[in-house]
Amino acid sequence: MDYLETPCHIIDLDKIKNNISILSLLKKKTNIKILFALKGFSNDKIVPMFIDFFDGVSASSLWEAQLAHDLLKKPVHTYSPAYKRNDINQIIDYSDYLIFNSLNQFSLFSQDCILGHVKQGIRINPEYSEVEKYAINPCHPFSRFGIKADDLNDSIFKKISGIHFHTMCEQFSDTLRRTIDVIDSNFNQYLHKIDWINLGGGQLFTDSSYSLDEAVNCINSLHKKYEFDIFVEPCETVVLNTGYFVASVIDIIHNGIDIAILDASAICHLPDIIHSPYRCNIVNAYLPNEKNFTYRLAGSTCYAGDIFGDYSFNQPLDIGSKIIFMDTAPYTMVKSNQFNGIKLPSYAIYEKDMPIKVIKQYNYDTFLSML
């Protein structure tokens, strides 16, 4: 690891394959179709290495739809809170399924979908979610996502073929079961009128605490009752615990606490640490004062809050010490930015018995292209 130029993301392909092997059990025991959601990991070099397993791709924008269509060669399910008239024909060209967030958008673009031979769907708002954080709860009061049951009518279902909802985030089979019960109760009159349903993402199928058997029972019961196709669109669970972000200590100062400044940035490279917020696990690091040497790990931008957190170590850090953040594949690389002109991290892949291979690096031209 000492030879690796930092900052750098490392993706463990063997762990991705292991996660996919768990998802394959779900497919064997149900008739479910699994889409890969690009929004959490839209990597043009790595995703093609494992996309063959999936039944399609979930896209959230014109460019994600184009990436899925051009590079991944899989059926594309596109959903966005709103589409622009200038983009809609391109989006239709790249998509096999197009999901509308509102009745207004459905009315505006439905005919374009018919002409483009795209299967149409709508996103519903079940008005039920067990996500506690307001910022990531898609069903919070005044949410902009989806159509409520009271706003639907039978005429809409003469043109659409399916419905989509997304209510979960890093949750388990018991939440899936309760959510399906709510959908079945509140939207029952419409479920016999559709050909497919998309249960969204946010389910940690590959976590050791997830009950795959309970999920299988939920999915099979739903299919037996309505006989429609069932999709899920995971991302995080596919790349769960497969990514590492490596940074180096470039200075150590003291101001009431030892502060190790890294050649990386929380706000640029791991922004959810700031925005969510959350504490990222680090290899061989512990809670503050749990071990003999405690440091505040800080970024190298001029933003005062550019702080990864406080961690303790068995040994003192030195300039050049490597800091390895864990589980950094989902929703990190896609959110990286170049505030302060900070260099974007390169990324590399790791496979058992193979050296780490850097497959993409960024330079000054990358910075200029974003200005």
Side-chain angles (χ1 to χ4, degrees), residues 43-56:
N43 187 293
D44 65 323
K45 298 291 190 296
I46 298 175
V47 175
M49 297 179 182
F50 60 79
I51 197 62
D52 284 349
F53 167 80
F54 293 89
D55 300 292

Side-chain angles (χ1 to χ4, degrees), residues 27-69:
K27 289 185 71 170
K28 285 180 181 179
K29 296 179 178 181
T30 68
N31 72 329
I32 201 163
K33 298 182 179 181
I34 302 180
L35 313 175
F36 181 72
L38 282 176
K39 62 185 176 183
F41 192 78
S42 55
N43 187 293
D44 65 323
K45 298 291 190 296
I46 298 175
V47 175
M49 297 179 182
F50 60 79
I51 197 62
D52 284 349
F53 167 80
F54 293 89
D55 300 292
V57 178
S58 168
S60 304
S61 65
L62 169 59
W63 286 352
E64 281 190 1
Q66 184 173 359
L67 174 65
H69 177 273

Side-chain angles (χ1 to χ4, degrees), residues 16-27:
I16 290 180
K17 292 172 185 176
N18 183 67
N19 285 344
I20 287 176
S21 71
I22 295 172
L23 292 174
S24 70
L25 296 176
L26 185 66
K27 289 185 71 170

Side-chain angles (χ1 to χ4, degrees), residues 99-144:
I99 297 140
F100 295 106
N101 185 64
S102 72
L103 295 179
N104 181 53
Q105 287 258 301
F106 170 68
S107 175
L108 195 60
F109 298 125
S110 177
Q111 188 60 32
D112 296 271
C113 287
I114 293 172
L115 294 174
H117 304 289
V118 174
K119 295 179 181 179
Q120 300 182 71
I122 56 171
R123 175 166 176 165
I124 59 171
N125 179 356
E127 301 181 76
Y128 176 85
S129 175
E130 298 180 15
V131 177
E132 294 181 356
K133 290 183 180 179
Y134 183 90
I136 54 176
N137 180 352
C139 297
H140 62 63
F142 314 116
S143 172
R144 70 186 190 278

